[in-house]
Amino acid sequence: MLKKDYLYGYYIQYDESAYDGYTYLRDRLDRDEAIVFLETAHHKGEAPFEDDYGRNYLLSKNSDDTYLLTRRD
């Protein structure tokens, strides 16, 4: 089941497998650094990133202007 949280003016949806990616954006990065990924996804449709532990994620823009965060293997 997807969770939906509001982060820095954006709604992000994610499931349990991508929760660590969400906390990375929320807690480990400065606000301005996290917004770079959100703005990239907004303009290009998606923004891949890696957390401090080498886990890969993809932030994608949805048609309703929300964002979907998924874990990539």
Side-chain angles (χ1 to χ4, degrees), residues 2-67:
L2 291 178
K3 293 185 179 190
K4 185 176 179 180
D5 284 320
Y6 192 71
L7 181 66
Y8 306 129
Y10 300 87
Y11 281 104
I12 301 175
Q13 298 177 5
Y14 58 91
D15 66 11
E16 269 191 43
S17 68
Y19 178 72
D20 289 332
Y22 175 75
T23 59
Y24 176 74
L25 292 173
R26 185 189 67 196
D27 300 335
R28 302 282 295 167
L29 296 180
D30 290 335
R31 180 186 188 279
D32 293 338
E33 293 173 322
I35 287 179
V36 167
F37 293 114
L38 291 157
E39 287 293 317
T40 299
H42 177 77
H43 293 292
K44 294 188 175 187
E46 60 184 29
F49 67 93
E50 182 178 299
D51 70 8
D52 294 334
Y53 300 101
R55 295 177 292 219
N56 294 302
Y57 300 94
L58 183 65
L59 187 61
S60 304
K61 184 176 183 262
N62 297 323
S63 61
D64 63 355
D65 288 332
T66 62
Y67 295 82

